Amino acid sequence: MTASLAPPHPAPAPDATPLRFGYGTNGLADLRLDDALTLLADLGYDGVGLTLDHMHLDPLASDLAARTRRLAHRLDALGLTVTIETGARYVLDPRRKHGPSLLDPDPDDRARRVDLLVRAVQIAADLGAHAVHCFSGVTPPGTDPDTAWKRLAETLTPVLDTATTAGIPLAIEPEPGHLLATLADFHHLRTTLGDPAALGLTLDIGHCQCLEPLSPAECVRAAGPWLRHVQIEDMRRGVHEHLPFGDGDIDFPPVLTALADTGYQGLTVVELPRHSHAGPHFAELSLPFLRQAVALSQGSTP
C-alpha cells in the first residue's frame, strides 16, 4: 500500500462551514437552567444541548407551553441556539434508568417513550431548535433482534411523522450497548424505514473512538450526509466513559477538520453528563480546547 503524502491535519476546504460549539445541560444538572444558559453565553458558546428533564425543562410539566415560551425569549436574548436532547435518565420512570424505551415489551410503555419524543419535537419547533436527539434503547432480555428492530421502526414512525410536519430532523444516536449501537446499525434502520428525510444521525465522537472500526475523523466523513447533531468529548478505545478533553485518546484537529468539511451547520455539543458536579469548570475549559483544536486543524497558531 502506498503511503499517503497528505499532511496529518489538512486545512479545511475553502468553503468549509465554521463550527458552532455548545455544551449539554446534562453536564450542568446542578445549575438552574437560566444560570446554566447565562454561564454558557458568558463563556462564548454558540448554543446549548438542552436535555428535557425535571430540573430544567420538564417535558411533563403542566405549564410546559408557558415555560417553553419564556425559554425561547431567553435563548434569543442570550444569542444561543439550541438542540433538544432526550437522554434524561429518570424523566419517565423514577426507578429505571432510561426507561421505558422504544423497545419495551409492553406497548403502553413504548407509547410513553413515543409521547416524550413527540413532545420533544414540538418543543424543538417552538424553540427553533435544529434537531431532536434520541436513541433506540437496550434490547430487553428475551427479545430477539428481529422483534427489537421491528419495534424500533414501528415506534419511530409516528415520531418521524411529527418531525416531518414540524420540519425538525429526528437525529438518532448510535449508543454503545443499545440495539442501534453503530453507524452500520443506523443505516440498517434508515433502509428499513425507507430512508425518510426526517431521519438523521446524532454522531457522538467519543463513541466512534470507543467501538467503530473507522477512526473518529473517518466516521465523521462517512456520516456527513446524515449528520443532524454532534456530541463531543474524549474517550478511550473499548471503554464507554465520557472524559474531559485530553483525558482520552482522540486526536481532535482531524476530527474537526472533517466536521467542517462536511458542511455540518448544527451545534457540536460537549457531552460530559458524569462531570456535572464540576460542570462550570469543565464548561470553562472545554471551549478553549476546541477552539485551539480548530486553530491547529487550520495550521494556524492557537
Side-chain angles (χ1 to χ4, degrees):
M1 181 180 294
T2 303
S4 171
L5 299 179
H9 305 315
D15 58 350
T17 304
L19 299 179
R20 298 188 299 149
F21 296 113
Y23 200 92
T25 59
N26 61 359
L28 297 168
D30 294 315
L31 275 67
R32 297 177 182 86
L33 180 57
D34 190 67
D35 290 339
L37 297 177
T38 302
L39 170 72
L40 298 181
D42 288 348
L43 291 175
Y45 282 91
D46 301 293
V48 58
L50 175 62
T51 294
L52 302 180
D53 209 345
H54 61 88
M55 79 288 287
H56 287 148
L57 186 64
D58 186 346
L60 306 181
S62 59
D63 61 342
L64 176 62
R67 294 180 64 186
T68 302
R69 285 193 297 270
R70 290 196 296 270
L71 177 57
H73 290 308
R74 186 59 178 153
L75 289 167
D76 184 64
L78 292 172
L80 294 173
T81 57
V82 63
T83 188
I84 299 299
E85 303 201 1
T86 61
R89 292 183 177 96
Y90 298 101
V91 69
L92 291 178
D93 188 331
R95 302 188 181 190
R96 184 161 55 120
K97 182 181 176 182
H98 298 316
S101 81
L102 297 171
L103 308 178
D104 274 24
D106 187 334
D108 290 338
D109 280 346
R110 297 198 299 273
R112 291 174 61 205
R113 178 61 61 171
V114 169
D115 176 70
L116 174 66
L117 295 180
V118 167
R119 286 171 180 254
V121 172
Q122 294 165 343
I123 292 167
D126 290 341
L127 294 179
H130 70 79
V132 171
H133 149 278
C134 69
F135 45 57
S136 69
V138 175
T139 303
T143 302
D144 65 87
D146 287 345
T147 298
W149 282 109
K150 182 180 179 182
R151 285 178 188 164
L152 182 59
E154 289 176 349
T155 51
L156 281 180
T157 296
V159 185
L160 287 166
D161 290 344
T162 303
T164 299
T165 300
I168 302 291
L170 183 70
I172 194 164
E173 177 188 7
E175 181 79 20
H178 284 210
L179 174 69
L180 197 154
T182 65
L183 287 174
D185 293 333
F186 166 74
H187 290 300
H188 175 71
L189 175 67
R190 182 175 62 83
T191 302
T192 298
L193 288 170
D195 199 15
L199 180 66
L201 175 69
T202 292
L203 189 68
D204 187 301
I205 302 303
H207 295 173
C208 297
Q209 176 70 23
C210 177
L211 53 69
E212 292 285 353
L214 299 175
S215 72
E218 291 170 324
C219 285
V220 169
R221 295 188 187 279
W226 299 277
L227 279 183
R228 300 296 180 267
H229 182 42
V230 175
Q231 298 171 344
I232 194 166
E233 70 285 315
D234 219 338
M235 203 168 286
R236 301 187 183 97
R237 184 68 181 170
V239 182
H240 183 203
E241 181 183 4
H242 290 232
L243 299 172
F245 298 119
D247 287 2
D249 301 328
I250 298 176
D251 184 13
F252 284 97
V255 172
L256 298 177
T257 293
L259 191 56
D261 287 349
T262 67
Y264 172 68
Q265 297 181 11
L267 288 172
T268 299
V269 173
V270 179
E271 185 81 358
L272 291 174
R274 295 190 178 182
H275 292 74
S276 200
H277 63 282
H281 170 74
F282 287 109
E284 184 175 3
L285 294 180
S286 295
L287 187 57
F289 179 95
L290 290 168
R291 286 175 171 168
Q292 181 183 48
V294 169
L296 290 172
S297 76
Q298 296 172 344
S300 58
T301 302

